[in-house]
Amino acid sequence: MPKLRSSSALHLRWLLALPKLGIVLLIAALLSLLWLLHLNEVDEERTSLIKDVLWLEQNLRFHLNGNEEQLQQLAVDMATLADEKRIFRLRAGHLLKNNPEITQILWFDPQRKLIDALPGTTLPEHEIESFGPVVTEKAFEMARRLGKQVYSEPFFLEGNRAFVELFVPIYREREFNGMLVSVLPLDTLLDNLVPWWFTEKYKVVIIDDNEIQYAAKTHIEGLGNQTYEIPFDPPGYGLKLRIVSYQSSTNPLQRLLTIAIVALAAGVFWSLWMVRDLMKKRSQAEEALRAEHAFRTAMENSLTVGMRARDLKGKVVYVNPAFCKMTGFSSDELVNSTPPMAYWAPEQIDESYAMHQAVLAGEAPVDGFEMIFMRKNGERFHALVYEAKLIDGNGQHTGWMASVLDITERKRAEELARQQQEQLQFTSRLVTMGEMASTLAHELNQPLAAIASYNTGCLNLLERTDCQAHEIRPALQKVAVQAQRAGKIIRRVHDFVRKSEPKRAPCQLAEVIEDCLGFIEADARKYHVRIECDTPEMPPIPADRLMLEQVLLNLIRNGIEAMAQTPEGHRKLKIRVSREETELKVSVADHGCGIPPDIRDKLFTAFFTTKPEGMGVGLSICRSIIEFHRGRLWAEDNPHSPTGNGTIFTFTLPLESA
């Protein structure tokens, strides 16, 4: 059994682990898929960013190269053609009109004196040199020395605007004749050369190696997720274009799909978790059920009480080992059997079937009933059966459950106890008669002496010759009366001491009391005790007359003996009979010495006595007799005793049909 439970528990753990492993793998796969999709998106965004940056770099380079070529052509034309001022005005105006990123074109002489400028002769912020003479002078000297166009380093003017300038030298017959300068504000450059759609996706920033920002353009806000930098050459000087991409709005369908996958994974995980809990609870319930079943089986196997279950039609559906041992039949022989049952005694088949029908009808006695069953070997035994409804887990009545007790030994013990009790009662009556022998002898001696006296008188009369029959008749009549009196005493003693089976028959309680008084009158006269009887007309009761006489005689004699020390004027014994609703109540009250409370509890215990020569069985037998008649016997103080003591013995007898 332990190995089976261990294997089952291991199997259950594997069953619980597999769904967990499956859901973990599923979640890992989904997370990996989402991560790969994210990496793919990031890679695509990166590729798109690089493509757009390269396009922007080419576009800026193309425009700046175009500006360089046009400004170079203007320098050539001004060096070779006459009326160079008109050419400057005409061509510079056209250049400014077509290239809005150029805000001003300047014309300097070799000594860096301003000759002309468009759109005005005023330099940015009045004078370039006033802000950055080193920057402009350096670029001017480099362009004259190299003989080709040169960009200046970026510089800031008031208003925090960044500029670069393009210097193009003018040579006439290989002689330096002046300098053309185009002024390029970097923010204006971005505004005119970076298209609007580009700024809807990216932020374009011009910075240098020191992370100084010179210009920026974008139409969106927030933090970028990718950045790409490329040298901004021309103009060079460490300038870089930094393009920051912003996360594009996620595809709603893709987001919905992701949410659905996550929700599905969560649902599957929750479902598996619920299944795990259910399996765990089921395993625990099965384990508890196995333990409960094992416990109940062990308990049923250890019972000495036979258990038998029948369905509503009377078919046996279950028997426990004790019932099988009790009847001698196996479980296979009894289960699914229908009436008549194999353990029914053939001689009581009708009674057994009638009780079977009563049980199925729900009319079985609540306090059980006795039947005679037969073992497989034919041996009969007495069984005490208690039937109860069999209720299933849904509260439905599905049959009857019987508890069967083998009471054969108990019946034998009860019969033996009954015989012993009868013998003890008989012995007690003999003892009582022995104790009353002298009194009874005195009572019997009186009629016998009278008979002898009347007989002598009759004989004397017969010796006379003149004797007449009418003279002898009265004496003979008195002899007959005294003989009847003596015979009545002998018959009463004989009836009292004879041994007979207990028999309950209708009897008048008043007649029983009268017979008892016939026995006890002599003792009452001896002890000077007055006996009063209050016995109104009562209905007959089913009782054993002899047993009731024994009870009353014991109680009356005890009352008389208890008043041995009571003054003669107060020696009175009262017998009273009253009728209650369902019973008769008989009380015997004396004015004796009373019973102490500590002795009263032991008063009805067998072999307990307060008399020096008593046997201690009288009151115990009295209580047994009254309980045999389904009544009660008790003792209490007599509150009406003039001596302040006294006891009342009371017993009840039910008013029931015989």
Side-chain angles (χ1 to χ4, degrees), residues 422 425-426 429-430 433 491-505 507-508 512 515-516 519 543-554 621-622 625 628-629:
E422 291 178 4
Q425 292 175 12
F426 176 68
R429 290 197 296 271
L430 292 179
M433 287 297 98
R491 186 173 59 254
R492 186 181 293 137
V493 172
H494 175 266
D495 289 341
F496 187 74
V497 298
R498 69 185 173 88
K499 188 174 182 180
S500 61
E501 295 289 331
K503 182 179 180 181
R504 298 176 67 187
C507 63
Q508 290 290 342
V512 176
D515 286 346
C516 289
F519 274 120
D544 186 290
R545 185 187 185 98
L546 187 60
M547 287 184 172
L548 290 185
E549 285 183 3
Q550 186 174 357
V551 171
L552 284 168
L553 192 59
N554 269 286
I621 292 175
C622 290
I625 291 174
F628 169 76
H629 287 81

Side-chain angles (χ1 to χ4, degrees), residues 198 277 303 319 371 413 431 451:
F198 197 90
D277 287 346
L303 285 177
V319 289
M371 292 185 67
V431 170
I451 291 173

Side-chain angles (χ1 to χ4, degrees), residues 77-78 81-89 107 172:
D77 291 342
M78 289 176 63
L81 299 178
D83 197 3
E84 54 185 6
K85 189 169 185 178
R86 183 183 65 80
I87 292 174
F88 172 78
R89 283 278 176 172
W107 180 17
R172 180 176 292 174

Side-chain angles (χ1 to χ4, degrees), residues 424-476:
L424 189 60
Q425 292 175 12
F426 176 68
T427 303
S428 178
R429 290 197 296 271
L430 292 179
V431 170
T432 301
M433 287 297 98
E435 293 174 349
M436 298 175 64
S438 60
T439 303
L440 290 174
H442 177 71
E443 287 290 310
L444 189 59
N445 186 55
Q446 289 181 359
L448 291 178
I451 291 173
S453 176
Y454 287 130
N455 183 59
T456 302
C458 289
L459 290 175
N460 292 331
L461 288 174
L462 288 175
E463 290 178 354
R464 290 168 52 187
T465 58
D466 58 347
C467 178
Q468 301 293 325
H470 66 275
E471 295 178 349
I472 300 175
R473 186 183 302 275
L476 291 177

Side-chain angles (χ1 to χ4, degrees), residues 344-592:
W344 284 0
E347 66 274 11
Q348 290 194 338
I349 194 73
D350 294 335
E351 293 85 345
S352 299
Y353 192 79
M355 185 55 69
H356 172 80
Q357 293 292 82
V359 171
L360 296 185
E363 299 173 356
V366 179
D367 53 352
F369 55 90
E370 294 184 11
M371 292 185 67
I372 295 180
F373 284 169
M374 181 180 67
R375 293 188 173 92
K376 191 174 183 179
N377 59 7
E379 180 185 354
R380 270 64 170 173
F381 67 94
H382 292 271
L384 178 60
V385 183
Y386 296 91
E387 292 281 357
K389 289 183 178 180
L390 191 61
I391 307 298
D392 65 6
N394 298 321
Q396 299 295 323
H397 178 202
T398 60
W400 300 91
M401 175 62 76
S403 301
V404 183
L405 299 173
D406 185 351
I407 59 172
T408 304
E409 293 300 325
R410 193 176 80 181
K411 297 285 282 187
R412 292 175 183 170
E414 289 177 353
E415 179 63 22
L416 180 60
R418 185 187 64 80
Q419 294 175 0
Q420 292 175 346
Q421 183 73 11
E422 291 178 4
Q423 184 64 35
L424 189 60
Q425 292 175 12
F426 176 68
T427 303
S428 178
R429 290 197 296 271
L430 292 179
V431 170
T432 301
M433 287 297 98
E435 293 174 349
M436 298 175 64
S438 60
T439 303
L440 290 174
H442 177 71
E443 287 290 310
L444 189 59
N445 186 55
Q446 289 181 359
L448 291 178
I451 291 173
S453 176
Y454 287 130
N455 183 59
T456 302
C458 289
L459 290 175
N460 292 331
L461 288 174
L462 288 175
E463 290 178 354
R464 290 168 52 187
T465 58
D466 58 347
C467 178
Q468 301 293 325
H470 66 275
E471 295 178 349
I472 300 175
R473 186 183 302 275
L476 291 177
Q477 289 177 345
K478 291 181 180 180
V479 168
V481 170
Q482 294 300 323
Q484 289 177 356
R485 180 184 174 188
K488 188 176 181 180
I489 293 172
I490 293 172
R491 186 173 59 254
R492 186 181 293 137
V493 172
H494 175 266
D495 289 341
F496 187 74
V497 298
R498 69 185 173 88
K499 188 174 182 180
S500 61
E501 295 289 331
K503 182 179 180 181
R504 298 176 67 187
C507 63
Q508 290 290 342
L509 194 58
E511 296 178 359
V512 176
I513 295 175
E514 183 179 356
D515 286 346
C516 289
L517 293 179
F519 274 120
I520 209 69
E521 279 179 350
D523 278 349
R525 288 194 300 269
K526 178 180 178 181
Y527 289 101
H528 307 286
V529 175
R530 290 180 295 113
I531 300 178
E532 295 182 0
C533 290
D534 182 7
T535 55
E537 188 69 24
M538 294 291 175
I541 58 172
D544 186 290
R545 185 187 185 98
L546 187 60
M547 287 184 172
L548 290 185
E549 285 183 3
Q550 186 174 357
V551 171
L552 284 168
L553 192 59
N554 269 286
L555 296 180
I556 293 171
R557 288 186 71 247
N558 286 343
I560 291 174
E561 293 174 357
M563 291 186 288
Q565 304 299 326
T566 303
E568 290 189 8
H570 297 302
R571 294 179 185 178
K572 184 175 68 173
L573 186 79
K574 185 172 183 179
I575 302 172
R576 184 173 182 272
V577 180
S578 62
R579 179 174 179 174
E580 302 292 335
E581 184 177 353
T582 59
E583 61 187 9
L584 291 182
K585 182 183 289 186
V586 183
S587 61
V588 179
D590 63 63
H591 298 164

Side-chain angles (χ1 to χ4, degrees), residues 167-200:
F167 290 81
V168 178
I170 302 173
Y171 282 90
R172 180 176 292 174
E173 295 180 358
R174 298 178 182 258
E175 292 291 335
F176 178 67
N177 194 36
M179 186 74 70
L180 291 177
V181 180
S182 63
V183 180
L184 300 171
L186 294 180
D187 54 356
T188 304
L189 179 68
L190 296 181
D191 288 339
N192 288 277
L193 298 184
V194 178
W196 65 270
W197 59 266
F198 197 90
T199 57
E200 293 293 334

Side-chain angles (χ1 to χ4, degrees), residues 571-643:
R571 294 179 185 178
K572 184 175 68 173
L573 186 79
K574 185 172 183 179
I575 302 172
R576 184 173 182 272
V577 180
S578 62
R579 179 174 179 174
E580 302 292 335
E581 184 177 353
T582 59
E583 61 187 9
L584 291 182
K585 182 183 289 186
V586 183
S587 61
V588 179
D590 63 63
H591 298 164
C593 57
I595 301 174
D598 57 333
I599 296 179
R600 189 177 302 166
D601 295 337
K602 307 174 183 178
L603 202 59
F604 299 98
T605 304
F607 306 109
F608 175 79
T609 181
T610 58
K611 301 177 182 179
E613 298 178 356
M615 294 175 60
V617 295
L619 289 178
S620 174
I621 292 175
C622 290
R623 170 168 281 187
S624 299
I625 291 174
I626 296 301
E627 289 178 350
F628 169 76
H629 287 81
R630 299 181 182 177
R632 296 176 295 119
L633 171 63
W634 69 94
E636 57 189 352
D637 294 334
N638 186 356
H640 306 294
S641 174
T643 63

